């Protein structure tokens, strides 16, 4: 687009200049008339460019809300209709369209403004040419009528060409804004390299075969001007273990996952993240990210078939895909692997989407699986399916679970409690609960009564983070969790 506009602007500008010079050569008196012509047109040009640029920006800015409400409405059509919000969405759409059309109308109006003024200017110049020829004749200078006719013929075309060149040059300036934006994107700090051939070559295809993860003095932040979200974090996730990361909102749990995938980078060179002996900063992103499976809180499916969603690179046999679907109890929901999935999985429930993501993870058979609040928005039945499937299918793998619902992680091998980006407590859930609950029970027996909700959670100077989180779920539930942790511990001891 831009080279064509640039070419148009200059080609027509030169044509206009040629006509003006021709007219002035035929009748030199007209050199005087070119002064107001140039001054007038440059004033009009400046006014137009300034206005049209802003108006165009208004139009461009108001365009994306129109597209976003269309896609939002399409995705949430069922909810919109179910809650009787059709009118509200229609009004919101109309309002956004109106705002966009206002900008567009102002742009067209400014072009009309330019057109009228340039027409008046060229008309005035044409009149000057005509009367100058008559004047010269009257004064006794001879001018060929053919040449006067020629200059008038050219001038008649001048109006449109002049207008077009000014509009094209304004358009060219507008398009330069895109160049500016591209330049600003170019100056962004790029992601780390997708491949590092010299290092990637040394990584075995089976890496990480054990799934041991170690964060060493790891600090990270989302942007240079923001505070640290992980602060000198040192933790170890043993290979093939089931680990839960818990903590208050904003403690940095999801940030740990982001660091695992290098979505945010370590803040200083001392920070190390080692997976099965490989320092992940040294290898390419493709290698790293393809070897870890994740099930996020909001599952994501693409429009296409269920097969394409589970096996986008066509690496697996149909039988394996069916087996994965069966493992997550989704086999009955599909008649064929070519069954369509609509935009962002709109034709599946959120639980089914979550299960489809789990099937994808089963199919990939990665040694490390991360679940970030994967069951926060699903019903208890789906939650149970997910938990059972993970325990069945990922028994030999490392599983990292981030969860608010402590029931889902009470039987893990190790709980890591984070607070403000620090590891504040770790251990088997039963180990972390037993001392607090024993003291609690003793106090009650002696008639002291725990009284407060976090009773037994703080012993002496040492705060018991996990125990206090368990206590906060309520006395009855805390007891259940304690029992579940105890059973898990006994089970572990028996093994
Ligand atoms: N994209 C981001 N940009 C800037 N800061 C962020 C971003 N995401 C998270 N943070 C900040 O990082 C800190 C840790 O956030 P994180 O999402 O890791 O918490 P979390 O423990 O997962 O919380 P939750 O339980 O609510 O999911 C918070 O203080 C948050 O404000
Ligand atoms: Mg989170």
């Amino acid at each position: 687009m831009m080279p064509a506009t640039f070419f148009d602007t200059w080609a027509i500008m030169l044509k206009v200049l040629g006509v003006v010079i021709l007219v002035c050569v035929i009748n030199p008196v007209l050199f005087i008339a070119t002064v107001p012509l140039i001054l007038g047109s440059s004033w009009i040009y400046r006014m137009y460019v300034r206005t049209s640029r802003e108006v165009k920006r208004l139009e461009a800015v108001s365009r994306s809300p129109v597209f976003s409400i269309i896609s939002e409405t399409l995705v949430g059509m069922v909810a919109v209709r179910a809650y009787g919000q059709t009118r509200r969405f229609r009004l919101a759409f109309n309002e956004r369209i109106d705002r966009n059309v206002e900008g567009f109308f102002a742009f067209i109006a400014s072009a009309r403004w330019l057109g009228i003024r340039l027409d008046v200017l060229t008309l005035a110049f044409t009149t000057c040419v005509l009367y100058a020829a008559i004047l010269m004749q009257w004064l006794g200078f001879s001018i060929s009528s053919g040449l006067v006719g020629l200059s008038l013929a050219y001038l008649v075309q001048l109006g449109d060409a002049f207008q077009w060149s000014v509009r094209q040059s304004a358009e060219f300036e507008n398009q330069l804004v895109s160049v500016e934006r591209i330049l600003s994107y170019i100056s962004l700090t790029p992601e780390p390299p997708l491949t590092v051939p010299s290092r990637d070559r040394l990584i075995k295809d089976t890496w990480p075969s054990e799934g041991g993860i170690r964060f060493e003095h790891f600090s990270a932040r989302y942007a240079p001007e923001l505070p640290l979200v992980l602060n000198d974090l040192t933790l170890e996730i043993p290979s093939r273990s089931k680990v839960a990361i818990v903590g208050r909102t904003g403690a940095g749990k999801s940030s740990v996952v982001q660091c695992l995938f290098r979505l945010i980078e370590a803040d200083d060179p001392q920070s190390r993240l080692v997976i099965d002996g490989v320092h992940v900063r040294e290898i390419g992103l493709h290698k790293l990210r393809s070897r870890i499976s994740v099930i996020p809180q909001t599952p994501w499916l693409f429009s296409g078939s269920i097969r394409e969603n589970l096996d986008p690179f066509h690496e697996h046999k149909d039988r394996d895909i069916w087996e994965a679907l069966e493992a997550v109890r989704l086999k009955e929901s599909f008649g064929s692997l070519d069954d369509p999935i609509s935009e962002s999985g709109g034709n599946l429930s959120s639980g089914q989407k979550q299960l489809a993501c789990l099937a994808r993870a089963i199919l990939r058979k990665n040694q490390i699986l991360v679940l970030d609040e994967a069951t926060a928005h699903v019903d208890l039945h789906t939650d149970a399916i997910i938990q059972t499937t993970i325990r069945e299918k990922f028994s030999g793998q490392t599983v990292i679970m981030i969860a608010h619902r402590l029931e889902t992680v009470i039987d893990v091998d190790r709980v890591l409690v984070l607070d403000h980006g620090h590891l504040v407590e770790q251990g088997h859930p039963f180990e972390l609960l037993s001392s607090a609950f024993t003291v609690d029970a003793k106090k009650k027996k002696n008639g002291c009564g725990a009284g407060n909700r976090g009773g037994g959670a703080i012993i002496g100077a040492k705060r018991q983070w996990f125990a206090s989180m368990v206590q906060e779920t309520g006395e009855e539930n805390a007891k259940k969790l304690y029992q579940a942790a105890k059973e898990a511990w006994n089970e572990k001891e028996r093994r």
Side-chain angles (χ1 to χ4, degrees):
M1 278 288 278
M2 214 170 84
T5 321
F6 183 71
F7 180 77
D8 251 20
T9 310
W10 279 102
I12 302 169
M13 278 281 189
L14 289 175
K15 187 179 161 188
V16 170
L17 197 70
V19 172
V20 173
I21 290 172
L22 177 83
V23 169
C24 291
V25 167
I26 292 172
N27 189 349
V29 173
L30 286 168
F31 270 115
I32 302 165
T34 54
V35 176
L37 178 75
I38 292 171
L39 288 180
S41 54
S42 69
W43 179 79
I44 292 170
Y45 172 78
R46 265 186 286 124
M47 291 291 282
Y48 172 71
V49 167
R50 216 181 296 157
T51 315
S52 79
R53 192 175 42 217
E54 294 308 315
V55 164
K56 198 91 199 262
R57 191 167 293 159
L58 281 182
E59 197 267 334
V61 167
S62 61
R63 204 182 312 149
S64 52
V66 175
F67 292 131
S68 72
I69 197 159
I70 292 175
S71 67
E72 276 167 24
T73 314
L74 285 179
V75 170
M77 182 115 65
V78 177
V80 171
R81 286 189 178 147
Y83 287 97
Q85 295 297 318
T86 319
R87 192 179 133 75
R88 184 158 76 88
F89 273 74
R90 199 172 48 228
L91 288 180
F93 174 73
N94 288 348
E95 194 190 311
R96 290 179 193 201
I97 274 282
D98 282 352
R99 202 158 305 145
N100 180 245
V101 170
E102 272 168 20
F104 189 64
F105 180 78
F107 178 68
I108 300 283
S110 67
R112 289 287 145 268
W113 180 93
L114 171 81
I116 289 170
R117 267 138 197 91
L118 286 183
D119 275 352
V120 168
L121 210 65
T122 42
L123 217 62
F125 190 66
T126 313
T127 312
C128 287
V129 171
L130 195 65
Y131 281 100
I134 295 170
L135 182 74
M136 295 298 270
Q137 200 71 39
W138 189 59
L139 290 174
F141 296 96
S142 90
I143 293 186
S144 148
S145 55
L147 287 177
V148 174
L150 178 75
S151 50
L152 284 175
Y154 270 121
L155 279 172
V156 171
Q157 300 168 15
L158 192 69
D160 285 347
F162 203 13
Q163 232 184 83
W164 185 241
S165 77
V166 172
R167 280 171 62 175
Q168 287 299 85
S169 72
E171 189 61 30
F172 179 65
E173 268 201 37
N174 286 337
Q175 287 170 355
L176 274 180
V177 175
S178 318
V179 177
E180 231 172 66
R181 210 171 289 167
I182 290 171
L183 287 177
S184 74
Y185 282 128
I186 289 174
S187 63
L188 285 179
T189 321
E191 259 205 323
L194 295 178
T195 53
V196 182
S198 59
R199 299 289 311 177
D200 290 354
R201 221 179 305 123
L202 305 176
I203 306 289
K204 285 188 191 145
D205 281 346
T206 49
W207 178 85
S209 53
E210 298 298 315
I213 302 168
R214 212 168 57 239
F215 281 84
E216 293 172 10
H217 303 289
F218 203 94
S219 301
R221 60 177 99 229
Y222 281 90
E225 68 281 5
L226 292 177
L228 287 172
V229 286
L230 297 184
N231 196 348
D232 197 24
L233 179 75
T234 296
L235 61 83
E236 172 135 24
I237 297 174
S239 53
R240 302 173 197 277
S241 63
K242 307 283 166 288
V243 168
I245 302 181
V246 298
R248 309 249 173 247
T249 283
K253 305 182 293 291
S254 301
S255 305
V256 169
V257 178
Q258 305 243 13
C259 292
L260 203 55
F261 284 90
R262 287 179 75 192
L263 293 169
I264 53 172
E265 278 288 21
D267 193 54
D268 58 76
Q270 280 82 45
S271 302
R272 279 169 62 86
L273 167 55
V274 182
I275 301 180
D276 274 5
V278 175
H279 182 15
V280 299
R281 200 188 277 188
E282 289 168 3
I283 61 171
L285 289 183
H286 270 326
K287 202 84 180 177
L288 171 72
R289 291 179 183 169
S290 62
R291 302 299 169 83
I292 305 175
S293 297
V294 64
I295 304 183
Q297 187 167 349
T298 322
W300 191 259
L301 294 179
F302 304 95
S303 66
S305 65
I306 181 73
R307 185 207 311 271
E308 286 165 346
N309 268 284
L310 296 195
D311 179 25
F313 302 112
H314 306 287
E315 293 167 334
H316 301 279
K317 294 194 188 101
D318 282 8
R319 201 182 40 167
D320 297 336
I321 302 177
W322 278 121
E323 271 176 19
L325 283 172
E326 192 171 11
V328 297
R329 325 279 197 274
L330 265 190
K331 195 176 176 188
E332 282 71 41
S333 308
F334 298 100
S336 135
L337 289 180
D338 295 318
D339 280 2
I341 301 290
S342 54
E343 181 72 31
S344 65
N347 57 341
L348 297 184
S349 73
S350 62
Q352 282 176 322
K353 277 191 260 179
Q354 205 67 274
L355 292 172
C357 283
L358 183 58
R360 189 155 52 194
I362 292 175
L363 212 52
R364 282 203 72 85
K365 295 192 178 75
N366 279 331
Q367 186 59 26
I368 300 173
L369 171 69
V370 183
L371 297 106
D372 188 355
E373 313 260 8
T375 57
H377 295 317
V378 298
D379 61 10
L380 289 175
H381 176 66
T382 314
D383 189 356
I385 295 179
I386 292 178
Q387 300 302 338
T388 322
T389 314
I390 288 169
R391 278 151 188 81
E392 277 170 9
K393 292 282 173 187
F394 293 88
S395 55
Q397 274 98 325
T398 306
V399 182
I400 304 170
M401 294 189 238
I402 295 176
H404 273 294
R405 272 217 301 259
L406 298 178
E407 293 83 346
T408 54
V409 295
I410 202 68
D411 61 342
V412 293
D413 301 319
R414 185 182 289 196
V415 169
L416 306 168
V417 187
L418 293 193
D419 187 57
H420 291 99
H422 293 285
L423 178 69
V424 288
E425 200 174 56
Q426 62 173 320
H428 189 278
F430 181 64
E431 287 176 319
L432 300 181
L433 292 180
S434 56
S435 55
F437 276 72
T438 317
V439 172
D440 200 29
K442 271 186 194 158
K443 274 187 185 172
K444 279 193 177 156
K445 205 171 167 187
N446 298 337
C448 305
N452 58 341
R453 287 196 317 142
I458 298 168
I459 302 169
K462 191 168 178 287
R463 178 164 179 197
Q464 300 213 329
W465 296 82
F466 187 61
S468 68
M469 287 173 74
V470 168
Q471 292 279 11
E472 280 170 23
T473 63
E475 202 157 320
E476 274 306 301
N477 207 38
K479 268 188 206 152
K480 273 192 214 153
L481 288 172
Y482 176 72
Q483 277 309 322
K486 194 172 173 181
E487 277 163 29
W489 173 260
N490 291 339
E491 178 75 19
K492 193 176 165 201
E493 289 291 287
R494 247 177 275 134
R495 272 190 268 129

